[in-house]
Amino acid sequence: QVQLVESGGGLVQAGGSLRLSCAASGRSFSMYAMEWFRQAPGKEREFVAAIEWSLDSTYYADSVKGRFTISRDNAKNTVSLQMNSLNVEDTAVYYCAAERGRYSRVVASIDYWGQGTQVTVSS
């Protein structure tokens, strides 16, 4: 069992930055790839970024590439998402997710979800 708790969401003006954090607890956490997804009102949940725990490999959705950076701290069991140059289209609830093994970027393959944190970007 893995528990995930996000923090760091909020309201920011377009062009600004936010940093999301996800604290993980539970056993065998090192066996999971960590991912961020987001869901805007009326839309499906979509993949944002992923990082493998052991290989430090990362992957980004095209819509955030070059603006967002995912990182992790193995000692603290935390994963972060640094979001720069935010725009209105980034407004959504952001979810931290854990997937056993390698990341697949598929919602149905996620083993554990956080509760989500709201990010609102104003124009």
Side-chain angles (χ1 to χ4, degrees), residues 24-94:
S25 60
R27 303 177 67 177
S28 303
F29 183 67
S30 61
M31 299 174 67
Y32 292 84
M34 297 302 297
E35 301 167 60
W36 288 94
F37 288 76
R38 66 186 181 186
Q39 188 166 18
K43 295 187 177 181
E44 294 186 351
R45 192 168 298 189
E46 64 175 5
F47 169 80
V48 176
I51 186 166
E52 291 196 5
W53 201 253
S54 59
L55 301 180
D56 209 14
S57 168
T58 59
Y59 194 95
Y60 297 92
D62 287 342
S63 59
V64 306
K65 198 173 296 182
R67 300 188 297 122
F68 291 11
T69 302
I70 188 171
S71 61
R72 85 291 196 257
D73 185 328
N74 291 352
K76 296 182 179 179
N77 277 5
T78 58
V79 177
S80 297
L81 185 68
Q82 177 66 42
M83 306 185 295
N84 299 328
S85 301
L86 286 161
N87 55 58
V88 176
E89 290 72 31
D90 295 316
T91 296
V93 177
Y94 283 71

